[in-house]
PDB file of all heavy atoms in Angstrom:
ATOM      1  N   PRO A  58     104.843 202.049  43.994  1.00 92.00           N
ATOM      2  CA  PRO A  58     106.094 201.282  43.987  1.00 92.00           C
ATOM      3  C   PRO A  58     105.901 199.986  44.776  1.00 92.00           C
ATOM      4  O   PRO A  58     105.155 199.948  45.760  1.00 92.00           O
ATOM      5  CB  PRO A  58     107.096 202.217  44.673  1.00 92.00           C
ATOM      6  CG  PRO A  58     106.496 203.582  44.540  1.00 92.00           C
ATOM      7  CD  PRO A  58     105.014 203.392  44.576  1.00 92.00           C
ATOM      8  N   THR A  59     106.541 198.934  44.358  1.00 91.00           N
ATOM      9  CA  THR A  59     106.338 197.618  44.978  1.00 91.00           C
ATOM     10  C   THR A  59     106.583 197.660  46.479  1.00 91.00           C
ATOM     11  O   THR A  59     105.806 197.104  47.267  1.00 91.00           O
ATOM     12  CB  THR A  59     107.252 196.579  44.316  1.00 91.00           C
ATOM     13  OG1 THR A  59     106.908 196.494  42.921  1.00 91.00           O
ATOM     14  CG2 THR A  59     107.085 195.213  44.956  1.00 91.00           C
ATOM     15  N   ALA A  60     107.654 198.309  46.897  1.00 90.00           N
ATOM     16  CA  ALA A  60     107.962 198.350  48.327  1.00 90.00           C
ATOM     17  C   ALA A  60     106.869 199.081  49.101  1.00 90.00           C
ATOM     18  O   ALA A  60     106.497 198.677  50.210  1.00 90.00           O
ATOM     19  CB  ALA A  60     109.317 199.030  48.541  1.00 90.00           C
ATOM     20  N   ALA A  61     106.314 200.141  48.527  1.00 91.00           N
ATOM     21  CA  ALA A  61     105.260 200.889  49.205  1.00 91.00           C
ATOM     22  C   ALA A  61     103.974 200.082  49.288  1.00 91.00           C
ATOM     23  O   ALA A  61     103.186 200.238  50.228  1.00 91.00           O
ATOM     24  CB  ALA A  61     105.004 202.203  48.474  1.00 91.00           C
ATOM     25  N   ALA A  62     103.734 199.211  48.297  1.00 91.00           N
ATOM     26  CA  ALA A  62     102.494 198.435  48.260  1.00 91.00           C
ATOM     27  C   ALA A  62     102.526 197.211  49.154  1.00 91.00           C
ATOM     28  O   ALA A  62     101.473 196.641  49.463  1.00 91.00           O
ATOM     29  CB  ALA A  62     102.193 198.008  46.828  1.00 91.00           C
ATOM     30  N   ASP A  63     103.705 196.777  49.579  1.00 92.00           N
ATOM     31  CA  ASP A  63     103.827 195.529  50.349  1.00 92.00           C
ATOM     32  C   ASP A  63     102.892 195.461  51.554  1.00 92.00           C
ATOM     33  O   ASP A  63     102.244 194.432  51.786  1.00 92.00           O
ATOM     34  CB  ASP A  63     105.281 195.324  50.790  1.00 92.00           C
ATOM     35  CG  ASP A  63     106.131 194.741  49.665  1.00 92.00           C
ATOM     36  OD1 ASP A  63     105.538 194.274  48.671  1.00 92.00           O
ATOM     37  OD2 ASP A  63     107.364 194.770  49.775  1.00 92.00           O
ATOM     38  N   PRO A  64     102.768 196.517  52.376  1.00 92.00           N
ATOM     39  CA  PRO A  64     101.858 196.410  53.520  1.00 92.00           C
ATOM     40  C   PRO A  64     100.399 196.178  53.121  1.00 92.00           C
ATOM     41  O   PRO A  64      99.638 195.556  53.861  1.00 92.00           O
ATOM     42  CB  PRO A  64     102.031 197.756  54.235  1.00 92.00           C
ATOM     43  CG  PRO A  64     103.362 198.270  53.797  1.00 92.00           C
ATOM     44  CD  PRO A  64     103.518 197.790  52.398  1.00 92.00           C
ATOM     45  N   ALA A  65     100.000 196.676  51.949  1.00 92.00           N
ATOM     46  CA  ALA A  65      98.617 196.479  51.496  1.00 92.00           C
ATOM     47  C   ALA A  65      98.373 195.043  51.068  1.00 92.00           C
ATOM     48  O   ALA A  65      97.280 194.509  51.233  1.00 92.00           O
ATOM     49  CB  ALA A  65      98.304 197.424  50.345  1.00 92.00           C
ATOM     50  N   LEU A  66      99.406 194.380  50.525  1.00 92.00           N
ATOM     51  CA  LEU A  66      99.271 193.002  50.069  1.00 92.00           C
ATOM     52  C   LEU A  66      99.478 192.001  51.189  1.00 92.00           C
ATOM     53  O   LEU A  66      99.022 190.858  51.098  1.00 92.00           O
ATOM     54  CB  LEU A  66     100.251 192.718  48.925  1.00 92.00           C
ATOM     55  CG  LEU A  66      99.759 193.069  47.518  1.00 92.00           C
ATOM     56  CD1 LEU A  66      99.618 194.575  47.340  1.00 92.00           C
ATOM     57  CD2 LEU A  66     100.701 192.511  46.458  1.00 92.00           C
ATOM     58  N   GLY A  67     100.170 192.417  52.250  1.00 88.00           N
ATOM     59  CA  GLY A  67     100.470 191.483  53.326  1.00 88.00           C
ATOM     60  C   GLY A  67     101.400 190.394  52.821  1.00 88.00           C
ATOM     61  O   GLY A  67     102.392 190.655  52.155  1.00 88.00           O
ATOM     62  N   SER A  68     101.045 189.168  53.061  1.00 83.00           N
ATOM     63  CA  SER A  68     101.884 188.043  52.648  1.00 83.00           C
ATOM     64  C   SER A  68     101.533 187.543  51.253  1.00 83.00           C
ATOM     65  O   SER A  68     102.149 186.602  50.753  1.00 83.00           O
ATOM     66  CB  SER A  68     101.735 186.885  53.638  1.00 83.00           C
ATOM     67  OG  SER A  68     100.380 186.451  53.715  1.00 83.00           O
ATOM     68  N   ALA A  69     100.552 188.174  50.598  1.00 88.00           N
ATOM     69  CA  ALA A  69     100.109 187.716  49.276  1.00 88.00           C
ATOM     70  C   ALA A  69     100.913 188.410  48.175  1.00 88.00           C
ATOM     71  O   ALA A  69     101.384 189.534  48.328  1.00 88.00           O
ATOM     72  CB  ALA A  69      98.630 188.012  49.090  1.00 88.00           C
ATOM     73  N   SER A  70     101.058 187.729  47.053  1.00 89.00           N
ATOM     74  CA  SER A  70     101.716 188.340  45.903  1.00 89.00           C
ATOM     75  C   SER A  70     100.749 189.215  45.126  1.00 89.00           C
ATOM     76  O   SER A  70     101.160 190.116  44.392  1.00 89.00           O
ATOM     77  CB  SER A  70     102.291 187.256  44.987  1.00 89.00           C
ATOM     78  OG  SER A  70     101.253 186.388  44.527  1.00 89.00           O
ATOM     79  N   CYS A  71      99.441 188.950  45.257  1.00 91.00           N
ATOM     80  CA  CYS A  71      98.420 189.757  44.607  1.00 91.00           C
ATOM     81  C   CYS A  71      97.082 189.469  45.288  1.00 91.00           C
ATOM     82  O   CYS A  71      96.961 188.517  46.064  1.00 91.00           O
ATOM     83  CB  CYS A  71      98.331 189.451  43.101  1.00 91.00           C
ATOM     84  SG  CYS A  71      97.823 187.761  42.735  1.00 91.00           S
ATOM     85  N   TRP A  72      96.098 190.302  44.997  1.00 92.00           N
ATOM     86  CA  TRP A  72      94.722 190.074  45.461  1.00 92.00           C
ATOM     87  C   TRP A  72      93.799 190.215  44.276  1.00 92.00           C
ATOM     88  O   TRP A  72      93.810 191.234  43.583  1.00 92.00           O
ATOM     89  CB  TRP A  72      94.323 191.095  46.545  1.00 92.00           C
ATOM     90  CG  TRP A  72      94.883 190.812  47.905  1.00 92.00           C
ATOM     91  CD1 TRP A  72      95.948 191.416  48.498  1.00 92.00           C
ATOM     92  CD2 TRP A  72      94.389 189.851  48.841  1.00 92.00           C
ATOM     93  NE1 TRP A  72      96.164 190.898  49.746  1.00 92.00           N
ATOM     94  CE2 TRP A  72      95.213 189.929  49.979  1.00 92.00           C
ATOM     95  CE3 TRP A  72      93.332 188.938  48.828  1.00 92.00           C
ATOM     96  CZ2 TRP A  72      95.024 189.124  51.098  1.00 92.00           C
ATOM     97  CZ3 TRP A  72      93.136 188.134  49.928  1.00 92.00           C
ATOM     98  CH2 TRP A  72      93.975 188.233  51.051  1.00 92.00           C
ATOM     99  N   PHE A  73      92.978 189.209  44.028  1.00 90.00           N
ATOM    100  CA  PHE A  73      91.964 189.302  42.989  1.00 90.00           C
ATOM    101  C   PHE A  73      90.708 189.963  43.543  1.00 90.00           C
ATOM    102  O   PHE A  73      90.153 190.876  42.927  1.00 90.00           O
ATOM    103  CB  PHE A  73      91.639 187.904  42.443  1.00 90.00           C
ATOM    104  CG  PHE A  73      90.654 187.926  41.306  1.00 90.00           C
ATOM    105  CD1 PHE A  73      90.970 188.566  40.121  1.00 90.00           C
ATOM    106  CD2 PHE A  73      89.429 187.312  41.422  1.00 90.00           C
ATOM    107  CE1 PHE A  73      90.067 188.596  39.067  1.00 90.00           C
ATOM    108  CE2 PHE A  73      88.518 187.333  40.378  1.00 90.00           C
ATOM    109  CZ  PHE A  73      88.842 187.977  39.194  1.00 90.00           C
ATOM    110  N   MET A  74      90.257 189.511  44.712  1.00 93.00           N
ATOM    111  CA  MET A  74      89.112 190.125  45.391  1.00 93.00           C
ATOM    112  C   MET A  74      89.363 190.077  46.895  1.00 93.00           C
ATOM    113  O   MET A  74      89.213 189.036  47.510  1.00 93.00           O
ATOM    114  CB  MET A  74      87.808 189.384  45.078  1.00 93.00           C
ATOM    115  CG  MET A  74      87.243 189.605  43.704  1.00 93.00           C
ATOM    116  SD  MET A  74      85.674 188.679  43.513  1.00 93.00           S
ATOM    117  CE  MET A  74      85.068 189.402  41.982  1.00 93.00           C
ATOM    118  N   ASP A  75      89.747 191.195  47.461  1.00 94.00           N
ATOM    119  CA  ASP A  75      89.944 191.301  48.903  1.00 94.00           C
ATOM    120  C   ASP A  75      88.748 192.059  49.470  1.00 94.00           C
ATOM    121  O   ASP A  75      88.648 193.284  49.352  1.00 94.00           O
ATOM    122  CB  ASP A  75      91.249 192.047  49.191  1.00 94.00           C
ATOM    123  CG  ASP A  75      91.553 192.154  50.680  1.00 94.00           C
ATOM    124  OD1 ASP A  75      90.674 191.815  51.503  1.00 94.00           O
ATOM    125  OD2 ASP A  75      92.666 192.600  51.017  1.00 94.00           O
ATOM    126  N   TRP A  76      87.805 191.316  50.082  1.00 93.00           N
ATOM    127  CA  TRP A  76      86.540 191.887  50.531  1.00 93.00           C
ATOM    128  C   TRP A  76      86.596 192.417  51.970  1.00 93.00           C
ATOM    129  O   TRP A  76      85.571 192.828  52.515  1.00 93.00           O
ATOM    130  CB  TRP A  76      85.430 190.835  50.453  1.00 93.00           C
ATOM    131  CG  TRP A  76      85.064 190.452  49.054  1.00 93.00           C
ATOM    132  CD1 TRP A  76      85.523 189.365  48.359  1.00 93.00           C
ATOM    133  CD2 TRP A  76      84.169 191.130  48.170  1.00 93.00           C
ATOM    134  NE1 TRP A  76      84.965 189.321  47.105  1.00 93.00           N
ATOM    135  CE2 TRP A  76      84.129 190.396  46.963  1.00 93.00           C
ATOM    136  CE3 TRP A  76      83.394 192.284  48.290  1.00 93.00           C
ATOM    137  CZ2 TRP A  76      83.350 190.782  45.879  1.00 93.00           C
ATOM    138  CZ3 TRP A  76      82.610 192.670  47.211  1.00 93.00           C
ATOM    139  CH2 TRP A  76      82.592 191.923  46.021  1.00 93.00           C
ATOM    140  N   ARG A  77      87.762 192.397  52.612  1.00 92.00           N
ATOM    141  CA  ARG A  77      87.835 192.867  53.997  1.00 92.00           C
ATOM    142  C   ARG A  77      87.358 194.313  54.104  1.00 92.00           C
ATOM    143  O   ARG A  77      87.550 195.116  53.193  1.00 92.00           O
ATOM    144  CB  ARG A  77      89.266 192.728  54.513  1.00 92.00           C
ATOM    145  CG  ARG A  77      89.646 191.284  54.826  1.00 92.00           C
ATOM    146  CD  ARG A  77      91.100 191.177  55.243  1.00 92.00           C
ATOM    147  NE  ARG A  77      92.011 191.391  54.125  1.00 92.00           N
ATOM    148  CZ  ARG A  77      93.340 191.343  54.233  1.00 92.00           C
ATOM    149  NH1 ARG A  77      93.897 191.130  55.416  1.00 92.00           N
ATOM    150  NH2 ARG A  77      94.094 191.529  53.164  1.00 92.00           N
ATOM    151  N   ARG A  78      86.716 194.622  55.227  1.00 92.00           N
ATOM    152  CA  ARG A  78      86.049 195.917  55.383  1.00 92.00           C
ATOM    153  C   ARG A  78      86.932 196.935  56.105  1.00 92.00           C
ATOM    154  O   ARG A  78      86.429 197.791  56.825  1.00 92.00           O
ATOM    155  CB  ARG A  78      84.712 195.725  56.095  1.00 92.00           C
ATOM    156  CG  ARG A  78      83.675 195.044  55.196  1.00 92.00           C
ATOM    157  CD  ARG A  78      82.281 195.182  55.753  1.00 92.00           C
ATOM    158  NE  ARG A  78      81.279 194.645  54.843  1.00 92.00           N
ATOM    159  CZ  ARG A  78      80.672 195.331  53.879  1.00 92.00           C
ATOM    160  NH1 ARG A  78      80.983 196.599  53.700  1.00 92.00           N
ATOM    161  NH2 ARG A  78      79.772 194.770  53.090  1.00 92.00           N
ATOM    162  N   ASP A  79      88.238 196.879  55.871  1.00 93.00           N
ATOM    163  CA  ASP A  79      89.088 197.943  56.407  1.00 93.00           C
ATOM    164  C   ASP A  79      89.115 199.144  55.461  1.00 93.00           C
ATOM    165  O   ASP A  79      89.982 200.012  55.566  1.00 93.00           O
ATOM    166  CB  ASP A  79      90.503 197.437  56.689  1.00 93.00           C
ATOM    167  CG  ASP A  79      91.194 196.849  55.477  1.00 93.00           C
ATOM    168  OD1 ASP A  79      90.534 196.678  54.425  1.00 93.00           O
ATOM    169  OD2 ASP A  79      92.402 196.539  55.570  1.00 93.00           O
ATOM    170  N   ASN A  80      88.133 199.193  54.543  1.00 95.00           N
ATOM    171  CA  ASN A  80      88.000 200.355  53.654  1.00 95.00           C
ATOM    172  C   ASN A  80      87.005 201.366  54.208  1.00 95.00           C
ATOM    173  O   ASN A  80      86.592 202.289  53.501  1.00 95.00           O
ATOM    174  CB  ASN A  80      87.565 199.904  52.251  1.00 95.00           C
ATOM    175  CG  ASN A  80      86.243 199.154  52.254  1.00 95.00           C
ATOM    176  OD1 ASN A  80      85.649 198.913  53.316  1.00 95.00           O
ATOM    177  ND2 ASN A  80      85.785 198.761  51.077  1.00 95.00           N
TER     178      ASN A  80
END
Side-chain angles (χ1 to χ4, degrees):
T59 299
D63 279 347
L66 274 68
S68 59
S70 59
C71 64
W72 283 102
F73 183 63
M74 286 181 168
D75 182 350
W76 291 97
R77 285 176 289 180
R78 288 195 175 271
D79 58 352
N80 59 357

